[in-house]
Amino acid sequence: MRVILAEDSTLLREGLVRLLLEEGHEVLAAVGDAVALLREIEEQKPDIVVVDIRMPPTHTDEGLRAAVEIRKRWPAISVLVLSQHVERNYAAQLLASNAERVGYLLKDRVAQVEEFLDALERIHAGGAAIDPEVVRQLVIRTTHGDPLARLTPRERGVLEALAQGHTNTAIAQKLHISLSSVEKNLNTIFDKLELSHTTGYSRRILAVLRYLES
């Protein structure tokens, strides 16, 4: 993959560069702010961008706003956003228009090298990669009248794996159940959540996340 990195922490930025090079990827640029990121993308058109949410000058949402702009201007470029903490509103903004070629991971996940690399591969292939902790905080809603309360523990586990961006086959492997069982559970989940008319795998992920965020 041809990658551009945007991270204001020099230590983390250089660590990511080294990791990606060791894995055989091409790092086109590694920058420390959103302005430089957009400039490099305009010039080099990478396959994928890895960007921190909080960058100079205000260290609030510069990276997020850059990620949203990238998805609007260059929809073929995959975007992986890194965040120090779970920020539900930011996750919702990132996924607001499309859940293809997009990822949202906590920075702690980068230390889990295989998970980080798997997330890159998934979004580069056109899928999604949402941090399990982000999904967990969205899924845990047990107030009265919440449709999620109608899900069985198995269905809830399948929903969490789905929202993370896993394929049906990966969900089966992750939960140690058959593929047919995954498909049956998914049909039941979308019936219970009144999402049975949603089509397309990535659109189903987006529908679930939108529903949980509402």
Side-chain angles (χ1 to χ4, degrees):
M1 289 180 282
R2 301 168 66 251
V3 186
I4 290 180
L5 301 171
E7 165 61 56
D8 67 313
S9 167
T10 303
L11 184 62
L12 179 56
R13 186 170 67 242
E14 293 304 316
L16 287 172
V17 169
R18 186 173 304 165
L19 171 63
L20 291 169
L21 291 176
E22 288 177 352
E23 291 296 320
H25 302 301
E26 182 181 0
V27 179
L28 302 178
V31 300
D33 63 79
V35 173
L37 169 63
L38 294 174
R39 183 175 62 246
E40 291 291 346
I41 292 173
E42 181 71 52
E43 294 177 357
Q44 307 203 58
K45 301 298 190 301
D47 299 316
I48 188 167
V49 171
V50 180
V51 55
D52 184 13
I53 280 184
R54 300 178 184 273
M55 290 195 295
T58 69
H59 294 279
T60 54
D61 64 349
E62 284 85 357
L64 175 73
R65 286 189 281 112
V68 171
E69 182 174 350
I70 292 164
R71 285 168 59 71
K72 289 179 180 177
R73 292 174 59 185
W74 301 287
I77 296 178
S78 302
V79 178
L80 177 59
V81 170
L82 302 180
S83 178
Q84 190 68 44
H85 308 288
V86 176
E87 303 188 64
R88 294 173 54 166
N89 290 337
Y90 286 170
Q93 287 181 54
L94 186 66
L95 297 165
S97 61
N98 195 338
E100 296 179 350
R101 300 184 180 278
V102 63
Y104 183 102
L105 293 184
L106 297 182
K107 286 189 176 181
D108 287 348
R109 199 69 56 187
V110 176
Q112 309 297 321
V113 174
E114 291 302 321
E115 292 187 36
F116 174 68
L117 295 174
D118 177 66
L120 287 177
E121 293 291 346
R122 268 193 278 159
I123 66 175
H124 182 242
I130 311 301
D131 195 285
E133 182 61 20
V134 175
V135 174
R136 188 189 70 81
Q137 292 200 23
L138 293 175
V139 169
I140 296 178
R141 294 173 58 190
T142 57
T143 57
H144 180 68
D146 181 0
L148 289 176
R150 300 201 298 267
L151 300 183
T152 66
R154 171 62 73 196
E155 291 164 357
R156 190 177 289 266
V158 170
L159 175 61
E160 290 188 21
L162 173 68
Q164 290 169 29
H166 293 294
T167 64
N168 288 6
T169 300
I171 293 172
Q173 295 172 346
K174 181 181 178 69
L175 300 181
H176 306 291
I177 58 178
S178 67
L179 183 58
S180 62
S181 179
V182 171
E183 293 168 350
K184 179 179 178 180
N185 277 281
L186 285 175
N187 288 333
T188 302
I189 289 167
F190 282 95
D191 283 341
K192 289 182 177 180
L193 298 183
E194 300 179 359
L195 296 167
S196 57
H197 297 298
T198 303
T199 58
Y201 181 69
S202 291
R203 283 178 288 178
R204 285 193 294 166
I205 298 172
L206 179 58
V208 171
L209 292 175
R210 279 179 171 173
Y211 190 91
L212 298 178
E213 190 68 5
S214 65

